[in-house]
Amino acid sequence: MVETRNKIAAESFGLVHDIPFVPSKAYATRKTIAQGALDLALLMANASQLKALVDIPANHRNDFYVGLLVLIGLSIALQLAAGIILLVLGMTNPKDEEGHKRTECLNNSSVSIILLITVVNIFISAIGISYVENESTP
């Protein structure tokens, strides 16, 4: 009776909407595809940063050159690992308890790797790629 009253009250205020049912597998697939697309965009950005860093002439490199090279390489390697995990996760269809545990483990590891990628890229952005102008000798 209380449920019926609440439904009538919600309908009178226009709060009841017909939301189509979305299966959890479809949601998980969309989430995995979205994460993969963002991973690909970040991979392309890091490749561009790596190219810009490598194109800096030797006499114009600053003290952070090697550190940035390592961080960008680490970020690319982590992104490849996350992409592989997301690919495996997207193709997995758990049917039993062991399968659910495996997908949960893969999901948690992908989230952890993506968090680590984010932290590494924050450091890359904070350091930045810059040229050092050498002082001309008279």
Side-chain angles (χ1 to χ4, degrees):
M1 176 123 170
V2 173
E3 185 176 307
T4 306
R5 248 186 273 152
N6 288 341
K7 185 175 181 184
I8 292 171
E11 287 174 349
S12 66
F13 288 109
L15 299 175
V16 175
H17 303 285
D18 290 330
I19 299 172
F21 174 72
V22 178
S24 62
K25 179 66 177 165
Y27 169 75
T29 303
R30 289 181 187 145
K31 182 181 132 199
T32 302
I33 290 170
Q35 283 179 332
L38 290 173
D39 192 37
L40 183 62
L42 188 59
L43 182 64
M44 292 187 333
N46 278 348
S48 175
Q49 288 176 330
L50 184 62
K51 182 184 180 304
L53 189 64
V54 171
D55 286 345
I56 296 175
N59 59 344
H60 291 288
R61 294 178 182 162
N62 63 12
D63 297 334
F64 298 113
Y65 178 80
V66 175
L68 278 172
L69 202 58
V70 168
L71 286 174
I72 292 173
L74 176 65
S75 178
I76 290 172
L78 288 171
Q79 288 172 49
L80 291 175
I84 291 169
I85 290 173
L86 290 173
L87 184 66
V88 170
L89 192 59
M91 295 185 327
T92 303
N93 188 11
K95 296 185 190 303
D96 57 354
E97 185 66 29
E98 184 178 324
H100 283 287
K101 287 182 182 179
R102 182 172 183 251
T103 55
E104 186 177 336
C105 179
L106 284 172
N107 191 36
N108 290 339
S109 62
S110 71
V111 169
S112 300
I113 290 174
I114 291 170
L115 177 66
L116 190 58
I117 291 169
T118 304
V119 170
V120 167
N121 280 290
I122 287 171
F123 280 110
I124 291 170
S125 297
I127 295 171
I129 298 172
S130 61
Y131 292 92
V132 175
E133 296 294 328
N134 291 340
E135 296 176 14
S136 58
T137 55

